[in-house]
Amino acid sequence: MAATPLIPVILCGGTGTRLWPLSRASYPKQYWPLSGGGDSTLLQQTHQRLNGLDGLAPPLLICNEDHRFIVAEQMRQIGIEPNAILLEPIGRNTAPAVTVAALQATANGDDPLLLVLAADHLIRDARHFRDAIEAGRQPAEEGRLVTFGIVPTAPETGYGYIEAAQPFNNSQLLDVPIARFVEKPDRATAEQFLATGRFTWNSGMFLFRASAMLAELERLSPEVVSCCRAALEQDTADLEFLRLEREAFAKCPNVAIDVAVMEKTELGSVLPLDAGWSDVGSWSALWETGERDQNGNVLQGRVISEGSRNCYLRSEHRLVVGLGVEDLVVVETDDAVLIADRSQAQSIKTVVKQLETDGSPEGKAHRKIYRPWGAYTGVVEDHRWQVKRISVKPGASLSLQMHHHRAEHWVVVRGTALVERDGEEQLLGENQSTYIPMGCKHRLSNPGKIPVELIEVQSGEYLGEDDIVRFEDRYGRSDLRVTPR
């Protein structure tokens, strides 16, 4: 008999600010290649490690609407066509996310198994992880709500814990009924937990039949179900996305699935998982999980290390040199450099809050901003002018638009650009340029086979990204409050 279809539900929420300056609100950690997957991002690794599971169906992804094109592009890069990409207009924690996934999965009368995963976790032993999922299939098919508890490696105080009703059999992958969930304990309590053999870390990963979870949600958190059902019934198709109706979803309680269901249900089971898991919650965690050299250093990018020990040194652009330093985290990006004692790296949250309070752009976004058609990078700016580097993917185009307050000069440095100005089209090759005056209706497209790259010089009294009047857009972005390119 064929295996029950298994749909991965990948939750792409979270900002990952503890990995600033790399991870920011506009491009959080799940969309970066960080550890253990070569060039694959954490999101891509989340799906790739499932390859080989029986009955694996296309994934259902849930993300913030601001990240939708990033998610779609990263799935395209690994050859995955999702079941659906559901867009949350605002964050409402994991219970609403799981609910809309279950409602979507059962909309046509099906009742698949749902495997709920966070997009920003690292699991080094993918084979053992798949074995654990297979071990959880039978109890899930029988109506149990299975969660994967991480076998503790230390008395951590930064994680929640799950107590099983009995000690685990370390030689077998068997689920055990859940006795209780415990919030982050102090160190002495965590040490006592580990001594019992019944406690695991709460990973936030689940396996269950869609109908079983929906029934418990209806019984224990009916308001969550009613709001999510209303948001789905009024959703809007937007290219390959399903946009949840904002007003209905905003009424949904902001609650975790643990609190809404798992702490109250009698159907919960915990299955121990020892597969090299990490939530990649700090730069220290990346050092701990990374591939270290003979001196204990993790080196990423253009880095030279001489006489340094136990450091995490990462470069995204410029050369980073570490000479005789120890226990440091050094991370270089296009607009910021972090230098921290490895033991103090958790304090980065204080820095991010200060940047947000000051209104500093480094707190939210990089100089390189990703768009569905490609990306642009801020090069330099001053009063009434700025320079950007624009890259447009083959076959892509910006919206047909106009600016009230600025003019633009474009110089093509790579590829062939198709430029539309007030209804007239012109092909530009390398080293050719054009001028877009204020009030001119214009569009930039790439008709070629390689990316188009150009330098844009803007001048005018106001250079904000919201100075755009949009006439046409193939990516359906005309409903955004701020309409970037």
Side-chain angles (χ1 to χ4, degrees), residues 209-222:
R209 272 199 182 273
S211 61
M213 178 58 79
L214 277 176
E216 288 298 86
L217 281 162
E218 289 273 19
R219 185 173 70 88
L220 300 169
S221 297

Side-chain angles (χ1 to χ4, degrees), residues 84-342:
I85 302 177
L86 291 167
L87 306 182
E88 294 181 320
I90 53 176
R92 275 296 179 264
N93 218 312
T94 54
V98 168
T99 304
V100 295
L103 289 169
Q104 177 69 18
T106 56
N108 295 323
D110 299 326
D111 189 15
L113 294 176
L114 300 185
L115 176 64
V116 178
L117 305 169
D120 59 354
H121 290 178
L122 177 67
I123 295 177
R124 294 191 294 276
D125 189 341
R127 181 175 180 178
H128 187 85
F129 180 55
R130 291 192 296 271
D131 289 343
I133 294 170
E134 293 292 355
R137 273 183 182 270
Q138 183 175 340
E141 289 179 345
E142 294 173 352
R144 301 296 295 180
L145 309 180
V146 179
T147 185
F148 298 91
I150 305 303
V151 176
T153 57
E156 287 285 347
T157 60
Y159 297 138
Y161 283 71
I162 304 172
E163 182 180 11
Q166 62 192 53
F168 296 105
N169 185 335
N170 293 330
S171 63
Q172 292 180 298
L173 281 170
L174 296 175
D175 69 299
V176 177
I178 293 172
R180 61 173 174 147
F181 285 75
V182 183
E183 286 301 312
K184 300 172 183 177
D186 58 31
R187 185 173 181 84
T189 302
E191 290 174 346
Q192 294 173 7
F193 286 173
L194 266 62
T196 68
R198 297 197 309 271
F199 284 85
T200 54
W201 294 335
N202 185 2
S203 71
M205 298 185 290
F206 304 92
L207 177 62
F208 47 77
R209 272 199 182 273
S211 61
M213 178 58 79
L214 277 176
E216 288 298 86
L217 281 162
E218 289 273 19
R219 185 173 70 88
L220 300 169
S221 297
E223 187 179 359
V224 172
V225 179
S226 62
C227 291
C228 289
R229 184 172 281 120
L232 265 176
E233 288 174 350
Q234 302 172 62
D235 66 4
T236 303
D238 177 1
L239 299 177
E240 65 263 58
F241 311 108
L242 290 177
R243 190 186 296 274
L244 299 172
E245 200 278 322
R246 174 177 289 273
E247 185 175 344
F249 196 72
K251 295 177 181 177
C252 197
N254 188 346
V255 60
I257 193 65
D258 294 346
V259 176
V261 173
M262 297 302 295
E263 292 179 0
K264 305 171 185 176
T265 184
E266 295 181 355
L267 301 178
S269 293
V270 56
L271 197 153
L273 177 65
D274 187 5
W277 173 91
S278 173
D279 68 349
V280 199
S282 68
W283 288 114
S284 294
L286 269 179
W287 175 81
E288 291 166 0
T289 58
E291 184 177 342
R292 298 193 284 272
D293 65 14
Q294 66 271 21
N295 294 315
N297 301 305
V298 176
L299 310 178
Q300 299 282 335
R302 296 184 62 210
V303 174
I304 296 175
S305 173
E306 292 289 343
S308 299
R309 298 176 59 82
N310 301 324
C311 292
Y312 184 94
L313 307 177
R314 184 183 187 110
S315 165
E316 292 298 311
H317 300 278
R318 293 160 289 185
L319 176 66
V320 170
V321 179
L323 298 178
V325 295
E326 295 188 18
D327 299 320
L328 288 185
V329 171
V330 179
V331 181
E332 178 272 342
T333 69
D334 55 5
D335 61 349
V337 177
L338 168 68
I339 303 172
D341 187 286
R342 197 158 47 78

Side-chain angles (χ1 to χ4, degrees), residues 29 165 200-201 324 351 390-391 407 479 481:
K29 66 177 180 178
T200 54
W201 294 335
V351 175
I390 296 176
S391 178
D479 59 330
R481 293 178 295 282

